[in-house]
Amino acid sequence: MGIAVREFNNGSPNHKLSLKFQDSRRSPLQAARAAVKLIEKDKVEVIIGMERWDEAALVADIGSQAKVPVISFSGPAITPPLASSRWPFLIRMARSDSNQIRCIAAVVQSYNWRRVVTVYEDYAYGGDAGMLALLSKALQDVGSEIEYNLILPPFSLITDPKDAVSKRTGKTTE
């Protein structure tokens, strides 16, 4: 993004862009705090980012209230019916996760796997529930099913990933 801004600024005599970076550390509340700071203190004109839908939804609420566009790289597993009226200033670069889910199901089908194990990170805002429902349905459509869900604690809280996996599965990792 820095290179793109530099190129734009070099070629534009009338407009200059600047970047402000904030790291949410995968926390929706941190993303919301950062959005408020960027809007109120730094007077940004647009917010770009948010790879997780739970972060994007909170920042979109803040952006809509302040009339600041929010461009998100994420989309919900299932698009809420009133999304455009709830978040009029939200621009989603991804429609939804359903295309990715169908791709996963197609890979499972191509290998003729009948049962799969899901491995995913648990986080306080439950954003994966919709994706798991879509994945379960997509797998059923190709004649497969989820045998087991391996839910890991939030990665930000794990000091020893191998230990976390072995505690969840009862198996040691090598």
Side-chain angles (χ1 to χ4, degrees):
M1 289 186 88
I3 294 170
V5 166
R6 192 168 44 249
E7 288 294 317
F8 177 85
N9 287 343
N10 287 340
S12 175
N14 300 326
H15 302 290
K16 297 296 178 198
L17 299 177
S18 65
L19 295 173
K20 304 277 183 184
F21 292 96
Q22 295 288 311
D23 182 5
S24 68
R25 295 185 297 276
R26 299 175 59 115
S27 164
L29 293 177
Q30 284 291 100
R33 280 190 210 111
V36 168
K37 177 189 171 286
L38 288 167
I39 291 168
E40 293 178 356
K41 182 178 177 248
D42 297 322
K43 308 292 185 207
V44 298
E45 295 180 26
V46 66
I47 296 175
I48 302 171
M50 288 79 53
E51 293 179 19
R52 295 174 67 133
W53 177 247
D54 52 347
E55 293 178 35
L58 269 177
V59 172
D61 280 335
I62 293 164
S64 293
Q65 291 171 11
K67 296 185 176 14
V68 171
V70 173
I71 300 173
S72 170
F73 301 126
S74 68
I78 300 168
T79 301
L82 301 175
S84 60
S85 60
R86 179 174 179 185
W87 300 297
F89 285 82
L90 175 63
I91 301 164
R92 292 180 295 156
M93 299 305 289
R95 301 285 291 154
S96 72
D97 290 330
S98 61
N99 289 336
Q100 292 175 3
I101 296 296
R102 285 194 303 274
C103 179
I104 292 168
V107 169
V108 168
Q109 182 182 32
S110 73
Y111 282 97
N112 205 28
W113 294 331
R114 296 291 168 231
R115 295 176 300 179
V116 299
V117 174
T118 63
V119 180
Y120 64 95
E121 172 189 10
D122 181 29
Y123 59 100
Y125 303 96
D128 289 333
M131 282 200 294
L132 284 175
L134 286 177
L135 178 59
S136 180
K137 172 72 171 95
L139 289 172
Q140 287 174 4
D141 291 347
V142 298
S144 299
E145 66 181 342
I146 297 173
E147 179 177 336
Y148 181 75
N149 292 314
L150 175 58
I151 308 166
L152 299 174
F155 295 140
S156 60
L157 301 178
I158 297 176
T159 55
D160 183 0
K162 288 183 180 182
D163 184 52
V165 170
S166 65
K167 284 180 182 175
R168 296 279 191 262
T169 62
K171 300 176 183 175
T172 59
T173 57
E174 305 267 336

